[in-house]
Amino acid sequence: MLVGSRDGFGLEFHLERDPELLCVDVHIGGLWVDARDNAFYPPLLVKKLKEELARYRAPIAAPAGFGSPVEALRLAEWARYGEAAPGVGDGTGEELARWVFLEWGECTDDVSVFAFPDGESVHLACRTWEGGGAAWGTVPRQEPTVVSVSRAEFVGTLERGLAVAEREWAVRLAALRAGRGEESATPGALSEGSTRVP
């Protein structure tokens, strides 16, 4: 089940693949950013989706120093991952690095993504990495991928993704508790086969 868009920003849930984890392919600008590992721990995914929604629900002006998404990505990566760069040190990189996105646990360790707000738009800029992620000084696997989406579309994808993640986690939690003979603390949990998004 895909919410959003593979060519813009999308979350593609594979609900049948694991009874305890949520398998979700994350797409940014046509790039599948978590191809190595897409099995998220459901409570962490729910928490991260809520945090992202809280940050982007209202329009926000572009951060200071934002020019182009590719240049902003370069400055933000330098600030975030401690790489030395000439001309960086005026605080621009640190301001841009505040907009780090997709730090959703081990599944997204091999990608650096920044979601730069710009009023009613969000500019997503990302780069995938070989073996462990940018923080370990690895070499980029490819040039940056950049896509701009409307804030409404971006937030809508996060909201629908959160709805799916919450419902499916309720199903899994109820099944786990039933397997242990516990009473469910999640009244109204969906049935195993339910995958509808409101």
Side-chain angles (χ1 to χ4, degrees), residues 11-98:
L11 303 173
E12 188 170 9
F13 289 82
H14 303 282
L15 303 174
E16 72 287 351
R17 289 196 184 156
D18 194 304
E20 296 181 16
L21 301 173
L22 285 177
C23 295
V24 184
D25 299 339
V26 181
H27 301 278
I28 295 176
L31 178 67
W32 177 15
V33 300
D34 61 338
R36 183 187 61 82
D37 180 4
N38 74 346
F40 291 88
Y41 179 55
L44 177 62
L45 182 60
V46 166
K47 175 181 183 292
K48 293 297 185 177
L49 287 167
K50 287 180 178 178
E51 289 172 357
E52 304 290 18
L53 272 168
R55 292 174 68 196
Y56 293 95
R57 198 176 292 280
I60 305 164
F66 180 80
S68 74
V70 171
E71 180 63 11
L73 172 67
R74 184 181 68 84
L75 292 171
E77 284 180 335
W78 281 334
R80 181 108 181 137
Y81 304 119
E83 298 177 13
V88 175
D90 62 358
T92 300
E94 289 79 7
E95 171 62 22
L96 294 168
R98 288 183 45 231

Side-chain angles (χ1 to χ4, degrees), residues 73-74 77 110-112 125-129 140 142-145:
L73 172 67
R74 184 181 68 84
E77 284 180 335
D110 290 343
V111 64
S112 62
C126 68
R127 186 190 325 264
T128 54
W129 302 85
Q142 65 181 48
E143 290 301 308
T145 297

Side-chain angles (χ1 to χ4, degrees), residues 82-108:
E83 298 177 13
V88 175
D90 62 358
T92 300
E94 289 79 7
E95 171 62 22
L96 294 168
R98 288 183 45 231
W99 298 103
V100 66
F101 178 65
L102 215 63
E103 291 198 325
W104 296 356
E106 292 178 7
C107 295
T108 54

Side-chain angles (χ1 to χ4, degrees), residues 1 15 162-175 184 186-198:
M1 170 195 332
L15 303 174
L162 175 60
V164 173
E166 285 180 324
R167 288 179 180 180
E168 290 302 319
W169 174 230
V171 168
R172 284 154 172 72
L173 189 58
S184 173
T186 55
L190 299 181
S191 66
E192 286 288 343
S194 179
T195 58
R196 288 185 31 212
V197 184

